[in-house]
Amino acid sequence: MKHYIWDSYFVELFDACVDEYDEGNKDFESWFSDEDQDFLKAIGCREREFFDFVEDNVSSGGEDPTAITALLIAAVRRDYFLTIQKGVPSTKVIVPSELPAKTADMDGYVWLPRIIAKARAKLKGEMDPDTMFCCGGDRAFLSKHDIHPADFLRVVWAADGDDQKILDYVKSRKA
């Protein structure tokens, strides 16, 4: 993989997968060549999570998440994967039952405990295939608080396990 142009490869692959989905092919496992699979592994991305971004993009008419949003999220995950994990994938998987409830709150911020747990799992590459960081519920929370999904991942990473730092950041985003 050429690291200098990984972002271009990502966007080209995203666009090609959108075309596949638009043509009715929802069998995402058939979308990726061996080279594509190697690329995704090299940036710490699973095929299913790539599919989830494509599916939500198409379902929203190309608006949410955009290819650029997916790229920015992938960039944070890639950075974490390469710098913290040294390119070694985690073998742990966070299953949906281990996540805080959708109604759980932190200091009155409903959804915050859940999205923090999902962000940590996303950073580490530990998302269950049936769970998505930046799903509709996540996007609603982040939009309400004017936080870009990639920025939220960075805040969670920088907080290094300190939920209070994340809460303080969310509180600072009040309009």
Side-chain angles (χ1 to χ4, degrees):
M1 178 181 83
K2 295 187 179 203
H3 292 278
Y4 186 75
I5 59 168
W6 83 270
D7 57 329
S8 297
Y9 192 109
F10 184 96
V11 172
E12 288 171 15
L13 182 58
F14 191 92
D15 291 343
C17 292
V18 165
D19 291 344
E20 286 287 330
Y21 195 98
D22 277 341
E23 292 171 9
N25 180 5
K26 296 180 184 172
D27 176 21
F28 67 90
E29 292 174 346
S30 71
W31 293 355
F32 306 104
S33 68
D34 289 344
E35 181 182 5
D36 297 337
Q37 291 173 6
D38 289 344
F39 167 75
L40 292 174
K41 286 178 189 166
I43 66 169
C45 183
R46 294 190 178 124
E47 294 172 18
R48 172 61 190 263
E49 61 188 315
F50 197 90
F51 167 80
D52 287 341
F53 283 122
V54 168
E55 181 176 53
D56 281 11
N57 172 272
V58 172
S59 298
S60 71
E63 303 223 355
D64 203 11
T66 64
I68 300 304
T69 294
L71 172 65
L72 291 170
I73 292 168
V76 178
R77 166 62 185 134
R78 176 183 174 268
D79 291 347
Y80 190 93
F81 179 64
L82 295 176
T83 60
I84 302 301
Q85 294 180 286
K86 307 293 186 214
V88 178
S90 174
T91 57
K92 185 177 179 181
V93 175
I94 305 298
V95 295
S97 63
E98 294 176 309
L99 294 172
K102 294 175 181 180
T103 56
D105 77 282
M106 182 182 296
D107 201 23
Y109 289 87
V110 175
W111 200 271
L112 184 56
R114 183 176 183 84
I115 195 171
I116 290 172
K118 289 173 69 177
R120 287 183 178 132
K122 174 66 174 174
L123 285 168
K124 296 174 184 177
E126 297 176 347
M127 297 291 290
D128 178 84
D130 294 325
T131 307
M132 176 186 180
F133 174 77
C134 200
C135 68
D138 293 348
R139 291 191 307 265
F141 177 87
L142 295 168
S143 176
K144 178 179 178 180
H145 299 288
D146 194 28
I147 303 170
H148 190 278
D151 293 340
F152 189 79
L153 282 177
R154 285 187 200 92
V155 166
V156 170
W157 181 357
D160 196 27
D162 186 342
D163 288 355
Q164 186 62 48
K165 289 180 180 178
I166 301 166
L167 176 61
D168 291 345
Y169 177 79
V170 172
K171 286 179 174 183
S172 77
R173 304 300 296 184
K174 280 191 170 183

